[in-house]
Amino acid sequence: MVIGEDLLFSHGASLENYEAGDAVFQEGTAAKYYFQIKYGTVKLNTFLEDGKEFVHGLPFDGHCIGESYLFTDHHYAINAIAVTHCEIIKISKTKILEILLENPELMLEINKYMADRLHFRFMISSFLAISDPIVKLTKLFDHIKKYFGFVEAYSFLIPYTRQQIATLTGLRVETVIRYVKKMEEQKMVKIESTKIYY
């Protein structure tokens, strides 16, 4: 959790439900709310002119989405779409800014969170210049394992489906399946009941 739920609810936040495919917010609209995921997975994406989709991230339980837009007048340059059933805490921009001004330590937490997300986006962007699928997969797995504080080999369950890994790395699903198998052969990952442990 980026900001404690009790604090958000005590300042008038509501809990909204979204089904898979529902838009939380859309590209080109103004940022009027702070959104924090209580449960579920959201896809941050943009659609290119040729209809292709570029996925910026797949935040889930405890993450906030679109938070950087609360500090600017720019409209969203991305969409946020529920991937699964989601429960999302929603509070107005005015109220969240009041909370942050009253609690400067939370402003530091939000800044740290945004810096981590920006780092993730830079890393994802670098995948465009990497041709080796194992290098892409290793960079992604290293990042999320470190983010969650895991160190030991095979101690971390990758929280994404193979389809989600494909969208994050720019690979085809078939390529992800094939190269995860190669990584297993090289003892870089362990697969148990289709789950990937890194």
Side-chain angles (χ1 to χ4, degrees), residues 52-166:
K52 288 185 181 172
E53 176 186 40
F54 184 84
V55 176
H56 301 274
L58 292 159
F60 48 89
D61 307 12
H63 289 267
C64 55
I65 52 176
E67 69 290 339
S68 61
Y69 287 93
L70 298 172
F71 305 102
T72 178
D73 291 329
H74 294 300
H75 287 191
Y76 292 117
I78 55 173
N79 302 296
I81 300 168
V83 174
T84 63
H85 169 77
C86 294
E87 293 179 359
I88 298 178
I89 300 167
K90 177 178 168 183
I91 188 168
S92 73
K93 178 177 180 174
T94 308
K95 295 273 187 180
I96 195 68
L97 292 177
E98 284 174 12
I99 292 171
L100 295 176
L101 288 171
E102 291 168 7
N103 302 276
E105 71 283 359
L106 287 179
M107 182 65 85
L108 290 174
E109 284 299 312
I110 288 281
N111 282 333
K112 182 184 180 309
Y113 179 82
M114 287 191 296
D116 284 343
R117 297 302 301 158
L118 191 57
H119 171 73
F120 181 74
R121 289 181 187 127
F122 287 153
M123 187 194 65
I124 292 293
S125 298
S126 76
F127 290 167
L128 298 171
I130 299 170
S131 57
D132 185 336
I134 288 183
V135 173
K136 287 185 182 190
L137 293 169
T138 302
K139 279 186 76 155
L140 176 64
F141 294 173
D142 279 345
H143 173 78
I144 56 178
K145 182 176 181 174
K146 183 178 177 187
Y147 178 83
F148 285 104
F150 288 81
V151 177
E152 299 297 316
Y154 316 130
S155 62
F156 180 65
L157 171 62
I158 300 297
Y160 300 125
T161 65
R162 283 155 179 76
Q163 176 64 58
Q164 291 169 336
I165 293 168

